[in-house]
Amino acid sequence: MARVVITGAGTINALGRDVASTQAAMAEGVCGISALNMRDVDRLSVTIGGQIHSYNEADHFNRQQIALYDRFTQFTLLAAREAIAQSGLIFTGELADQAGVILGTSGGGLTTQDENYRTVYEDGKNRVHPFIVPKLMNNAATAHVSMEHNLRGPSFTVATACASSNHAMGQAFTMIRGGSAKAMITGGSEAMLCFGGIKAWEGLRVMSKDGCRPFCATRNGMVQGEGAGVFVFEEFEHAKARDAEILAEVIGFSMSSDASDIVMPSKAGAARAIAGALRDAQIDRSEVGYINAHGTGTAANDKTECAAVAEVFGPHADQLMMSSTKSMHGHLIGGTGAVELLACLMALREGVIAPTINYQETDPECAFDVVPNVARDAKVDVALSNAFAFGGLNAVIALRRAP
Amino acid sequence: MSIASQVIDIIAEQAMLDPAEITLESSLAELGVDSMGVVECIFAIEETFDISVPFNANEPSQSDFDISTVGSITKAIEKLVNEAA
């Protein structure tokens, strides 16, 4: 089986417009969550989020592109440009046919849907722009990345709610490992911070009105974010032959289904995904130094996730660092695993562990080293990234320091 | 129709029980209403009484809105309805 490495990374999110500024903010423990700025915000009961403020689409795209690119597609394209530029890959000839795009998103073009439902229902208009369908569809971002970079291999979009981007990256990984691609552009994006997007989440009554405090005894819910994380996954020998800079090696992936409840997480399902990733990577649990937790800040997720980690790691759980960077950038739903993988890269490459900020008080059910409030220097060889979605669909990725 | 009987109807529908089987002393858990069922009940209560119920599923016990029994829910609604009036 081929080995798989990461040779490019890109992002845009509430903490930064690129990887360097995002990782710097993570290392500083910056909170990217702030008051939401959107139409009808006074009709919302949840008014905070990890929103990308002062974003002007016209700075990046022309009129024709904007007519086709929903906000989630725009974020994806910006992150993909950064990742591909860093990798140095140019997709022509045979390589173009052996390179594809697999991205995760949950809501896809939700902002486009929201705006156009408003046009026909609230404003009473009987006509919408001709490109609403290609703009809102969940595979639009994947398709536009493939067009912009001439990626002609296996390409599709994955939607598994909060685990979408981890599932997408897992597919990209197995595709290269199994020999059906040389390089894959992968990750995910989300732009759900529109009136309808927040209103729907309010209904579940799991959102916090005052901040995201994962694992903290005073936590009272999740806070949404937006943005994208995109990576270049490449076959190791291919990367080595062209002397590419390797950011990390992808060594394992596992997915599982709780098969139990549409919203309540299960310890058993999460534990099977975590243990599966270790098995797939053929590593002992003692090699893992850092876990980027799913850590949503809800009562249910955090205690279930901690119980699952405790079960899989046994006594080694006491040696682990496990932080949730959602405390800083919010929960990017279908794009969250991708942005969180940047914290894993930072841990492996720079030996800096991103903190769980807003941490005030220990919850005995989450009594782990959650790297409270302040980043820490530590040498880490293997990092895991957890994602556990509504629907009980779980996906865990294992990375190792660059060979 | 009294607030109590409307609350009983809402909970009966959620629990798939006959309203006659529900008393003011019944707790939602006894009636088989799980956490998702509670959130649906609160939604129905807000729609029925045109009130806004302060309830966060992450910290149900922290809420001023006591959901422990049908009677406590009825009392909490009466308070909110009076405040709104």
Side-chain angles (χ1 to χ4, degrees):
Chain A
M1 283 198 298
R3 290 169 70 183
V4 181
V5 293
I6 302 176
T7 55
T11 190
I12 174 168
N13 64 83
L15 293 176
R17 303 290 174 98
D18 55 25
V19 171
S21 58
T22 299
Q23 289 180 332
M26 285 178 172
E28 287 296 313
V30 171
C31 184
I33 292 166
S34 60
L36 289 171
N37 177 14
M38 68 174 72
R39 184 171 160 179
D40 293 334
V41 72
D42 55 315
R43 287 179 56 206
L44 295 172
S45 65
V46 170
T47 56
I48 57 169
Q51 193 172 28
I52 302 170
H53 292 294
S54 320
Y55 172 78
N56 182 6
E57 56 190 3
D59 291 346
H60 309 284
F61 305 103
N62 66 33
R63 185 191 164 279
Q64 281 73 18
Q65 290 173 319
I66 290 167
L68 283 164
Y69 299 171
D70 179 88
R71 195 169 166 94
F72 95 103
T73 298
Q74 296 180 21
F75 291 160
T76 310
L77 286 166
L78 294 174
R81 285 174 188 173
E82 184 188 2
I84 293 169
Q86 181 180 29
S87 78
L89 284 171
I90 292 167
F91 298 98
T92 55
E94 211 178 320
L95 179 63
D97 294 350
Q98 295 177 339
V101 190
I102 303 179
L103 294 167
T105 186
S106 181
L110 207 68
T111 309
T112 299
Q113 294 197 39
D114 199 47
E115 283 169 0
N116 287 280
Y117 279 139
R118 184 182 264 139
T119 300
V120 293
Y121 295 142
E122 185 177 332
D123 302 341
K125 292 193 179 158
N126 276 331
R127 195 178 292 121
V128 296
H129 188 278
F131 299 157
I132 300 311
V133 168
K135 191 172 180 179
L136 68 78
M137 61 193 193
N138 282 36
N139 57 327
T142 296
H144 286 297
V145 170
S146 114
M147 287 185 266
E148 188 166 302
H149 299 280
N150 192 38
L151 299 149
R152 301 190 302 197
S155 300
F156 57 92
T157 295
V158 178
T160 49
C162 313
S164 302
S165 55
N166 269 20
H167 275 110
M169 294 188 288
Q171 290 313 295
F173 166 57
T174 54
M175 202 141 289
I176 296 171
R177 188 164 68 168
S180 23
K182 285 283 179 220
M184 293 297 296
I185 308 307
T186 187
S189 77
E190 202 70 69
M192 215 176 257
L193 297 181
C194 54
F195 182 77
I198 301 279
K199 186 51 80 181
W201 274 99
E202 273 181 13
L204 272 169
R205 296 183 183 259
V206 295
M207 304 270 285
S208 171
K209 294 179 183 183
D210 54 18
C212 181
R213 296 184 293 280
F215 307 119
C216 173
T218 69
R219 69 186 182 277
N220 61 2
M222 55 169 276
V223 176
Q224 272 201 69
E226 66 174 355
V230 175
F231 301 89
V232 178
F233 283 15
E234 186 174 350
E235 200 249 314
F236 173 52
E237 295 299 335
H238 189 272
K240 207 167 75 174
R242 64 186 190 87
D243 209 17
E245 186 189 3
I246 292 170
L247 306 181
E249 180 171 4
V250 188
I251 55 172
F253 173 67
S254 176
M255 35 188 172
S256 69
S257 177
D258 295 346
S260 61
D261 191 282
I262 196 69
V263 292
M264 289 306 284
S266 128
K267 177 180 111 172
R272 282 191 295 121
I274 297 166
L278 300 180
R279 206 164 45 241
D280 189 51
Q282 298 182 307
I283 54 170
D284 186 78
R285 60 191 182 180
S286 63
E287 292 179 63
V288 177
Y290 172 62
I291 299 177
N292 185 286
H294 191 55
T296 55
T298 62
N301 174 81
D302 293 3
K303 68 178 180 200
T304 308
E305 181 168 16
C306 287
V309 169
E311 179 177 293
V312 173
F313 286 92
H316 181 63
D318 295 336
Q319 314 298 317
L320 278 172
M321 292 170 284
M322 177 162 84
S323 67
S324 170
T325 51
K326 285 186 178 78
S327 56
M328 296 185 266
H329 49 64
H331 190 340
L332 278 75
I333 317 291
T336 210
V339 169
E340 289 161 29
L341 207 69
L342 296 171
C344 293
L345 290 182
M346 184 167 79
L348 296 169
R349 277 170 65 73
E350 296 166 38
V352 177
I353 311 300
T356 304
I357 68 163
N358 304 324
Y359 190 82
Q360 300 163 341
E361 201 180 312
T362 305
D363 175 351
E365 286 191 275
C366 305
F368 276 89
D369 178 0
V370 300
V371 195
N373 300 319
V374 181
R376 193 177 307 156
D377 294 329
K379 184 169 170 284
V380 169
D381 294 320
V382 174
L384 298 187
S385 182
N386 287 346
F388 310 125
F390 273 0
L393 311 181
N394 312 305
V396 177
I397 296 179
L399 300 184
R400 190 196 293 277
R401 205 136 44 87
Chain B
M1 204 175 178
S2 73
I3 288 179
S5 62
Q6 289 181 84
V7 170
I8 286 174
D9 284 351
I10 287 169
I11 293 167
E13 193 190 351
Q14 190 65 45
M16 294 185 286
L17 294 171
D18 189 304
E21 297 176 63
I22 298 177
T23 69
L24 289 178
E25 287 72 43
S26 310
S27 79
L28 294 182
E30 277 166 23
L31 299 171
V33 178
D34 65 8
S35 59
M36 283 176 80
V38 170
V39 170
E40 273 199 87
C41 285
I42 302 242
F43 169 69
I45 287 165
E46 288 184 324
E47 288 288 286
T48 303
F49 300 103
D50 193 22
I51 53 175
S52 186
V53 175
F55 178 81
N56 180 338
N58 290 290
E59 43 186 10
S61 58
Q62 301 283 310
S63 171
D64 290 338
F65 196 87
D66 181 359
I67 56 160
S68 47
T69 64
V70 175
S72 72
I73 292 171
T74 303
K75 263 197 206 126
I77 294 170
E78 281 165 352
K79 186 161 166 266
L80 287 171
V81 170
N82 285 335
E83 280 169 10

